Amino acid sequence: MGNQDYEQYLREREQNLEWQRKGATLSDKNARNEFGLTQDEIYDAIEAGKLQYRQAYMHGNPWLRLLRREVEALARTRHGDRYVNAQQARAELTRVNREIRRLRTELTELEERRDKLCSDLGE
């Protein structure tokens, strides 16, 4: 195997590992929500070779897996850094609020369980 072949092998291996890394990919729907892109912008970028994709299926429904770094770069060129940063902050705020609601529900359930256990013990 020549030096160039080996370098090409390493590049391909690194690229394949990126598809498997947690958080490195996102769906086309999440790309639209998180980065404010339209489906047409995503398809146009795929056709122009700016976005790589892999087709996946969930319950028989197709969706596109995209590389997060490429989607972010596309959004920055289309809409600018300020817009992308604001969109990412909104998406993170939504995730944080969802987690807070989940934890409040869990806390309420645990307090009810504690109260029942205390009453069973006669405390």
mmCIF file with all atom_site columns, all heavy atoms in Angstrom, residues 31-51:
data_model
loop_
_atom_site.group_PDB
_atom_site.id
_atom_site.type_symbol
_atom_site.label_atom_id
_atom_site.label_alt_id
_atom_site.label_comp_id
_atom_site.label_asym_id
_atom_site.label_entity_id
_atom_site.label_seq_id
_atom_site.pdbx_PDB_ins_code
_atom_site.Cartn_x
_atom_site.Cartn_y
_atom_site.Cartn_z
_atom_site.occupancy
_atom_site.B_iso_or_equiv
_atom_site.pdbx_formal_charge
_atom_site.auth_seq_id
_atom_site.auth_comp_id
_atom_site.auth_asym_id
_atom_site.auth_atom_id
_atom_site.pdbx_PDB_model_num
ATOM 1   N N   . ALA A 1 31 ? -32.212 19.683 11.748 1.00 0.00 ? 31 ALA A N   1
ATOM 2   C CA  . ALA A 1 31 ? -31.434 20.728 11.078 1.00 0.00 ? 31 ALA A CA  1
ATOM 3   C C   . ALA A 1 31 ? -32.324 21.927 10.760 1.00 0.00 ? 31 ALA A C   1
ATOM 4   O O   . ALA A 1 31 ? -31.913 23.080 10.927 1.00 0.00 ? 31 ALA A O   1
ATOM 5   C CB  . ALA A 1 31 ? -30.791 20.189 9.800  1.00 0.00 ? 31 ALA A CB  1
ATOM 6   N N   . ARG A 1 32 ? -33.548 21.653 10.333 1.00 0.00 ? 32 ARG A N   1
ATOM 7   C CA  . ARG A 1 32 ? -34.489 22.745 10.058 1.00 0.00 ? 32 ARG A CA  1
ATOM 8   C C   . ARG A 1 32 ? -34.832 23.496 11.345 1.00 0.00 ? 32 ARG A C   1
ATOM 9   O O   . ARG A 1 32 ? -34.853 24.724 11.372 1.00 0.00 ? 32 ARG A O   1
ATOM 10  C CB  . ARG A 1 32 ? -35.758 22.204 9.400  1.00 0.00 ? 32 ARG A CB  1
ATOM 11  C CG  . ARG A 1 32 ? -35.534 21.683 7.999  1.00 0.00 ? 32 ARG A CG  1
ATOM 12  C CD  . ARG A 1 32 ? -36.837 21.408 7.255  1.00 0.00 ? 32 ARG A CD  1
ATOM 13  N NE  . ARG A 1 32 ? -37.800 20.617 7.992  1.00 0.00 ? 32 ARG A NE  1
ATOM 14  C CZ  . ARG A 1 32 ? -37.909 19.293 7.918  1.00 0.00 ? 32 ARG A CZ  1
ATOM 15  N NH1 . ARG A 1 32 ? -37.105 18.607 7.150  1.00 0.00 ? 32 ARG A NH1 1
ATOM 16  N NH2 . ARG A 1 32 ? -38.836 18.662 8.606  1.00 0.00 ? 32 ARG A NH2 1
ATOM 17  N N   . ASN A 1 33 ? -35.099 22.746 12.425 1.00 0.00 ? 33 ASN A N   1
ATOM 18  C CA  . ASN A 1 33 ? -35.490 23.372 13.687 1.00 0.00 ? 33 ASN A CA  1
ATOM 19  C C   . ASN A 1 33 ? -34.333 24.106 14.352 1.00 0.00 ? 33 ASN A C   1
ATOM 20  O O   . ASN A 1 33 ? -34.506 25.229 14.834 1.00 0.00 ? 33 ASN A O   1
ATOM 21  C CB  . ASN A 1 33 ? -36.041 22.326 14.662 1.00 0.00 ? 33 ASN A CB  1
ATOM 22  C CG  . ASN A 1 33 ? -37.368 21.782 14.214 1.00 0.00 ? 33 ASN A CG  1
ATOM 23  O OD1 . ASN A 1 33 ? -38.089 22.429 13.467 1.00 0.00 ? 33 ASN A OD1 1
ATOM 24  N ND2 . ASN A 1 33 ? -37.691 20.585 14.639 1.00 0.00 ? 33 ASN A ND2 1
ATOM 25  N N   . GLU A 1 34 ? -33.181 23.462 14.402 1.00 0.00 ? 34 GLU A N   1
ATOM 26  C CA  . GLU A 1 34 ? -32.063 24.018 15.157 1.00 0.00 ? 34 GLU A CA  1
ATOM 27  C C   . GLU A 1 34 ? -31.340 25.134 14.416 1.00 0.00 ? 34 GLU A C   1
ATOM 28  O O   . GLU A 1 34 ? -30.866 26.089 15.031 1.00 0.00 ? 34 GLU A O   1
ATOM 29  C CB  . GLU A 1 34 ? -31.074 22.902 15.488 1.00 0.00 ? 34 GLU A CB  1
ATOM 30  C CG  . GLU A 1 34 ? -29.995 23.313 16.458 1.00 0.00 ? 34 GLU A CG  1
ATOM 31  C CD  . GLU A 1 34 ? -29.161 22.148 16.936 1.00 0.00 ? 34 GLU A CD  1
ATOM 32  O OE1 . GLU A 1 34 ? -29.685 21.022 17.045 1.00 0.00 ? 34 GLU A OE1 1
ATOM 33  O OE2 . GLU A 1 34 ? -27.972 22.375 17.206 1.00 0.00 ? 34 GLU A OE2 1
ATOM 34  N N   . PHE A 1 35 ? -31.261 25.048 13.088 1.00 0.00 ? 35 PHE A N   1
ATOM 35  C CA  . PHE A 1 35 ? -30.479 26.022 12.334 1.00 0.00 ? 35 PHE A CA  1
ATOM 36  C C   . PHE A 1 35 ? -31.322 26.907 11.427 1.00 0.00 ? 35 PHE A C   1
ATOM 37  O O   . PHE A 1 35 ? -30.794 27.765 10.725 1.00 0.00 ? 35 PHE A O   1
ATOM 38  C CB  . PHE A 1 35 ? -29.405 25.309 11.504 1.00 0.00 ? 35 PHE A CB  1
ATOM 39  C CG  . PHE A 1 35 ? -28.355 24.653 12.345 1.00 0.00 ? 35 PHE A CG  1
ATOM 40  C CD1 . PHE A 1 35 ? -28.415 23.306 12.628 1.00 0.00 ? 35 PHE A CD1 1
ATOM 41  C CD2 . PHE A 1 35 ? -27.312 25.394 12.880 1.00 0.00 ? 35 PHE A CD2 1
ATOM 42  C CE1 . PHE A 1 35 ? -27.442 22.700 13.406 1.00 0.00 ? 35 PHE A CE1 1
ATOM 43  C CE2 . PHE A 1 35 ? -26.344 24.801 13.664 1.00 0.00 ? 35 PHE A CE2 1
ATOM 44  C CZ  . PHE A 1 35 ? -26.410 23.447 13.928 1.00 0.00 ? 35 PHE A CZ  1
ATOM 45  N N   . GLY A 1 36 ? -32.633 26.712 11.428 1.00 0.00 ? 36 GLY A N   1
ATOM 46  C CA  . GLY A 1 36 ? -33.512 27.580 10.660 1.00 0.00 ? 36 GLY A CA  1
ATOM 47  C C   . GLY A 1 36 ? -33.390 27.417 9.159  1.00 0.00 ? 36 GLY A C   1
ATOM 48  O O   . GLY A 1 36 ? -33.685 28.340 8.407  1.00 0.00 ? 36 GLY A O   1
ATOM 49  N N   . LEU A 1 37 ? -32.970 26.249 8.708  1.00 0.00 ? 37 LEU A N   1
ATOM 50  C CA  . LEU A 1 37 ? -32.874 25.990 7.276  1.00 0.00 ? 37 LEU A CA  1
ATOM 51  C C   . LEU A 1 37 ? -34.198 25.449 6.762  1.00 0.00 ? 37 LEU A C   1
ATOM 52  O O   . LEU A 1 37 ? -34.984 24.887 7.523  1.00 0.00 ? 37 LEU A O   1
ATOM 53  C CB  . LEU A 1 37 ? -31.768 24.963 6.999  1.00 0.00 ? 37 LEU A CB  1
ATOM 54  C CG  . LEU A 1 37 ? -30.349 25.377 7.357  1.00 0.00 ? 37 LEU A CG  1
ATOM 55  C CD1 . LEU A 1 37 ? -29.411 24.183 7.235  1.00 0.00 ? 37 LEU A CD1 1
ATOM 56  C CD2 . LEU A 1 37 ? -29.880 26.512 6.482  1.00 0.00 ? 37 LEU A CD2 1
ATOM 57  N N   . THR A 1 38 ? -34.431 25.615 5.486  1.00 0.00 ? 38 THR A N   1
ATOM 58  C CA  . THR A 1 38 ? -35.613 25.025 4.869  1.00 0.00 ? 38 THR A CA  1
ATOM 59  C C   . THR A 1 38 ? -35.226 23.695 4.239  1.00 0.00 ? 38 THR A C   1
ATOM 60  O O   . THR A 1 38 ? -34.038 23.427 3.994  1.00 0.00 ? 38 THR A O   1
ATOM 61  C CB  . THR A 1 38 ? -36.199 25.941 3.782  1.00 0.00 ? 38 THR A CB  1
ATOM 62  O OG1 . THR A 1 38 ? -35.247 26.045 2.714  1.00 0.00 ? 38 THR A OG1 1
ATOM 63  C CG2 . THR A 1 38 ? -36.531 27.330 4.335  1.00 0.00 ? 38 THR A CG2 1
ATOM 64  N N   . GLN A 1 39 ? -36.218 22.873 3.955  1.00 0.00 ? 39 GLN A N   1
ATOM 65  C CA  . GLN A 1 39 ? -35.949 21.588 3.307  1.00 0.00 ? 39 GLN A CA  1
ATOM 66  C C   . GLN A 1 39 ? -35.328 21.815 1.930  1.00 0.00 ? 39 GLN A C   1
ATOM 67  O O   . GLN A 1 39 ? -34.428 21.079 1.527  1.00 0.00 ? 39 GLN A O   1
ATOM 68  C CB  . GLN A 1 39 ? -37.249 20.783 3.202  1.00 0.00 ? 39 GLN A CB  1
ATOM 69  C CG  . GLN A 1 39 ? -37.026 19.322 2.848  1.00 0.00 ? 39 GLN A CG  1
ATOM 70  C CD  . GLN A 1 39 ? -36.402 18.531 3.976  1.00 0.00 ? 39 GLN A CD  1
ATOM 71  O OE1 . GLN A 1 39 ? -36.624 18.794 5.139  1.00 0.00 ? 39 GLN A OE1 1
ATOM 72  N NE2 . GLN A 1 39 ? -35.610 17.543 3.627  1.00 0.00 ? 39 GLN A NE2 1
ATOM 73  N N   . ASP A 1 40 ? -35.785 22.846 1.231  1.00 0.00 ? 40 ASP A N   1
ATOM 74  C CA  . ASP A 1 40 ? -35.218 23.152 -0.088 1.00 0.00 ? 40 ASP A CA  1
ATOM 75  C C   . ASP A 1 40 ? -33.745 23.539 0.011  1.00 0.00 ? 40 ASP A C   1
ATOM 76  O O   . ASP A 1 40 ? -32.938 23.145 -0.836 1.00 0.00 ? 40 ASP A O   1
ATOM 77  C CB  . ASP A 1 40 ? -36.006 24.270 -0.771 1.00 0.00 ? 40 ASP A CB  1
ATOM 78  C CG  . ASP A 1 40 ? -37.375 23.807 -1.230 1.00 0.00 ? 40 ASP A CG  1
ATOM 79  O OD1 . ASP A 1 40 ? -37.550 22.582 -1.457 1.00 0.00 ? 40 ASP A OD1 1
ATOM 80  O OD2 . ASP A 1 40 ? -38.276 24.653 -1.366 1.00 0.00 ? 40 ASP A OD2 1
ATOM 81  N N   . GLU A 1 41 ? -33.381 24.321 1.031  1.00 0.00 ? 41 GLU A N   1
ATOM 82  C CA  . GLU A 1 41 ? -31.978 24.688 1.221  1.00 0.00 ? 41 GLU A CA  1
ATOM 83  C C   . GLU A 1 41 ? -31.124 23.447 1.477  1.00 0.00 ? 41 GLU A C   1
ATOM 84  O O   . GLU A 1 41 ? -30.007 23.339 0.961  1.00 0.00 ? 41 GLU A O   1
ATOM 85  C CB  . GLU A 1 41 ? -31.820 25.665 2.384  1.00 0.00 ? 41 GLU A CB  1
ATOM 86  C CG  . GLU A 1 41 ? -32.318 27.064 2.102  1.00 0.00 ? 41 GLU A CG  1
ATOM 87  C CD  . GLU A 1 41 ? -32.256 27.972 3.311  1.00 0.00 ? 41 GLU A CD  1
ATOM 88  O OE1 . GLU A 1 41 ? -32.545 27.510 4.436  1.00 0.00 ? 41 GLU A OE1 1
ATOM 89  O OE2 . GLU A 1 41 ? -31.906 29.153 3.121  1.00 0.00 ? 41 GLU A OE2 1
ATOM 90  N N   . ILE A 1 42 ? -31.664 22.504 2.242  1.00 0.00 ? 42 ILE A N   1
ATOM 91  C CA  . ILE A 1 42 ? -30.940 21.266 2.528  1.00 0.00 ? 42 ILE A CA  1
ATOM 92  C C   . ILE A 1 42 ? -30.758 20.455 1.248  1.00 0.00 ? 42 ILE A C   1
ATOM 93  O O   . ILE A 1 42 ? -29.652 20.006 0.935  1.00 0.00 ? 42 ILE A O   1
ATOM 94  C CB  . ILE A 1 42 ? -31.666 20.450 3.616  1.00 0.00 ? 42 ILE A CB  1
ATOM 95  C CG1 . ILE A 1 42 ? -31.579 21.188 4.961  1.00 0.00 ? 42 ILE A CG1 1
ATOM 96  C CG2 . ILE A 1 42 ? -31.081 19.048 3.727  1.00 0.00 ? 42 ILE A CG2 1
ATOM 97  C CD1 . ILE A 1 42 ? -32.440 20.600 6.058  1.00 0.00 ? 42 ILE A CD1 1
ATOM 98  N N   . TYR A 1 43 ? -31.831 20.280 0.472  1.00 0.00 ? 43 TYR A N   1
ATOM 99  C CA  . TYR A 1 43 ? -31.728 19.524 -0.781 1.00 0.00 ? 43 TYR A CA  1
ATOM 100 C C   . TYR A 1 43 ? -30.787 20.202 -1.768 1.00 0.00 ? 43 TYR A C   1
ATOM 101 O O   . TYR A 1 43 ? -30.000 19.533 -2.450 1.00 0.00 ? 43 TYR A O   1
ATOM 102 C CB  . TYR A 1 43 ? -33.107 19.325 -1.410 1.00 0.00 ? 43 TYR A CB  1
ATOM 103 C CG  . TYR A 1 43 ? -33.985 18.328 -0.701 1.00 0.00 ? 43 TYR A CG  1
ATOM 104 C CD1 . TYR A 1 43 ? -35.350 18.522 -0.604 1.00 0.00 ? 43 TYR A CD1 1
ATOM 105 C CD2 . TYR A 1 43 ? -33.453 17.179 -0.127 1.00 0.00 ? 43 TYR A CD2 1
ATOM 106 C CE1 . TYR A 1 43 ? -36.163 17.598 0.039  1.00 0.00 ? 43 TYR A CE1 1
ATOM 107 C CE2 . TYR A 1 43 ? -34.251 16.257 0.524  1.00 0.00 ? 43 TYR A CE2 1
ATOM 108 C CZ  . TYR A 1 43 ? -35.603 16.475 0.600  1.00 0.00 ? 43 TYR A CZ  1
ATOM 109 O OH  . TYR A 1 43 ? -36.411 15.558 1.247  1.00 0.00 ? 43 TYR A OH  1
ATOM 110 N N   . ASP A 1 44 ? -30.862 21.535 -1.863 1.00 0.00 ? 44 ASP A N   1
ATOM 111 C CA  . ASP A 1 44 ? -29.967 22.261 -2.776 1.00 0.00 ? 44 ASP A CA  1
ATOM 112 C C   . ASP A 1 44 ? -28.507 22.076 -2.376 1.00 0.00 ? 44 ASP A C   1
ATOM 113 O O   . ASP A 1 44 ? -27.636 21.904 -3.236 1.00 0.00 ? 44 ASP A O   1
ATOM 114 C CB  . ASP A 1 44 ? -30.311 23.760 -2.801 1.00 0.00 ? 44 ASP A CB  1
ATOM 115 C CG  . ASP A 1 44 ? -31.645 24.044 -3.465 1.00 0.00 ? 44 ASP A CG  1
ATOM 116 O OD1 . ASP A 1 44 ? -32.171 23.151 -4.174 1.00 0.00 ? 44 ASP A OD1 1
ATOM 117 O OD2 . ASP A 1 44 ? -32.183 25.158 -3.269 1.00 0.00 ? 44 ASP A OD2 1
ATOM 118 N N   . ALA A 1 45 ? -28.226 22.104 -1.077 1.00 0.00 ? 45 ALA A N   1
ATOM 119 C CA  . ALA A 1 45 ? -26.849 21.919 -0.599 1.00 0.00 ? 45 ALA A CA  1
ATOM 120 C C   . ALA A 1 45 ? -26.370 20.490 -0.859 1.00 0.00 ? 45 ALA A C   1
ATOM 121 O O   . ALA A 1 45 ? -25.191 20.281 -1.185 1.00 0.00 ? 45 ALA A O   1
ATOM 122 C CB  . ALA A 1 45 ? -26.759 22.255 0.890  1.00 0.00 ? 45 ALA A CB  1
ATOM 123 N N   . ILE A 1 46 ? -27.261 19.522 -0.737 1.00 0.00 ? 46 ILE A N   1
ATOM 124 C CA  . ILE A 1 46 ? -26.891 18.134 -1.041 1.00 0.00 ? 46 ILE A CA  1
ATOM 125 C C   . ILE A 1 46 ? -26.542 18.009 -2.518 1.00 0.00 ? 46 ILE A C   1
ATOM 126 O O   . ILE A 1 46 ? -25.514 17.418 -2.880 1.00 0.00 ? 46 ILE A O   1
ATOM 127 C CB  . ILE A 1 46 ? -28.020 17.160 -0.643 1.00 0.00 ? 46 ILE A CB  1
ATOM 128 C CG1 . ILE A 1 46 ? -28.118 17.064 0.884  1.00 0.00 ? 46 ILE A CG1 1
ATOM 129 C CG2 . ILE A 1 46 ? -27.804 15.788 -1.259 1.00 0.00 ? 46 ILE A CG2 1
ATOM 130 C CD1 . ILE A 1 46 ? -29.333 16.297 1.381  1.00 0.00 ? 46 ILE A CD1 1
ATOM 131 N N   . GLU A 1 47 ? -27.384 18.588 -3.371 1.00 0.00 ? 47 GLU A N   1
ATOM 132 C CA  . GLU A 1 47 ? -27.127 18.527 -4.816 1.00 0.00 ? 47 GLU A CA  1
ATOM 133 C C   . GLU A 1 47 ? -25.847 19.256 -5.195 1.00 0.00 ? 47 GLU A C   1
ATOM 134 O O   . GLU A 1 47 ? -25.149 18.843 -6.115 1.00 0.00 ? 47 GLU A O   1
ATOM 135 C CB  . GLU A 1 47 ? -28.317 19.112 -5.584 1.00 0.00 ? 47 GLU A CB  1
ATOM 136 C CG  . GLU A 1 47 ? -29.549 18.228 -5.548 1.00 0.00 ? 47 GLU A CG  1
ATOM 137 C CD  . GLU A 1 47 ? -30.751 18.868 -6.205 1.00 0.00 ? 47 GLU A CD  1
ATOM 138 O OE1 . GLU A 1 47 ? -30.610 19.938 -6.837 1.00 0.00 ? 47 GLU A OE1 1
ATOM 139 O OE2 . GLU A 1 47 ? -31.845 18.291 -6.079 1.00 0.00 ? 47 GLU A OE2 1
ATOM 140 N N   . ALA A 1 48 ? -25.513 20.332 -4.460 1.00 0.00 ? 48 ALA A N   1
ATOM 141 C CA  . ALA A 1 48 ? -24.291 21.097 -4.744 1.00 0.00 ? 48 ALA A CA  1
ATOM 142 C C   . ALA A 1 48 ? -23.060 20.439 -4.132 1.00 0.00 ? 48 ALA A C   1
ATOM 143 O O   . ALA A 1 48 ? -21.941 20.901 -4.351 1.00 0.00 ? 48 ALA A O   1
ATOM 144 C CB  . ALA A 1 48 ? -24.442 22.519 -4.213 1.00 0.00 ? 48 ALA A CB  1
ATOM 145 N N   . GLY A 1 49 ? -23.258 19.383 -3.358 1.00 0.00 ? 49 GLY A N   1
ATOM 146 C CA  . GLY A 1 49 ? -22.134 18.688 -2.745 1.00 0.00 ? 49 GLY A CA  1
ATOM 147 C C   . GLY A 1 49 ? -21.633 19.328 -1.463 1.00 0.00 ? 49 GLY A C   1
ATOM 148 O O   . GLY A 1 49 ? -20.564 18.990 -0.976 1.00 0.00 ? 49 GLY A O   1
ATOM 149 N N   . LYS A 1 50 ? -22.415 20.241 -0.886 1.00 0.00 ? 50 LYS A N   1
ATOM 150 C CA  . LYS A 1 50 ? -22.012 20.905 0.355  1.00 0.00 ? 50 LYS A CA  1
ATOM 151 C C   . LYS A 1 50 ? -22.414 20.118 1.596  1.00 0.00 ? 50 LYS A C   1
ATOM 152 O O   . LYS A 1 50 ? -21.870 20.341 2.665  1.00 0.00 ? 50 LYS A O   1
ATOM 153 C CB  . LYS A 1 50 ? -22.613 22.308 0.430  1.00 0.00 ? 50 LYS A CB  1
ATOM 154 C CG  . LYS A 1 50 ? -22.080 23.241 -0.629 1.00 0.00 ? 50 LYS A CG  1
ATOM 155 C CD  . LYS A 1 50 ? -22.713 24.604 -0.536 1.00 0.00 ? 50 LYS A CD  1
ATOM 156 C CE  . LYS A 1 50 ? -22.202 25.508 -1.643 1.00 0.00 ? 50 LYS A CE  1
ATOM 157 N NZ  . LYS A 1 50 ? -22.855 26.806 -1.608 1.00 0.00 ? 50 LYS A NZ  1
ATOM 158 N N   . LEU A 1 51 ? -23.391 19.235 1.451  1.00 0.00 ? 51 LEU A N   1
ATOM 159 C CA  . LEU A 1 51 ? -23.848 18.403 2.570  1.00 0.00 ? 51 LEU A CA  1
ATOM 160 C C   . LEU A 1 51 ? -23.774 16.939 2.166  1.00 0.00 ? 51 LEU A C   1
ATOM 161 O O   . LEU A 1 51 ? -24.255 16.556 1.108  1.00 0.00 ? 51 LEU A O   1
ATOM 162 C CB  . LEU A 1 51 ? -25.305 18.721 2.946  1.00 0.00 ? 51 LEU A CB  1
ATOM 163 C CG  . LEU A 1 51 ? -25.617 19.986 3.695  1.00 0.00 ? 51 LEU A CG  1
ATOM 164 C CD1 . LEU A 1 51 ? -27.119 20.072 3.976  1.00 0.00 ? 51 LEU A CD1 1
ATOM 165 C CD2 . LEU A 1 51 ? -24.842 20.090 4.980  1.00 0.00 ? 51 LEU A CD2 1
#
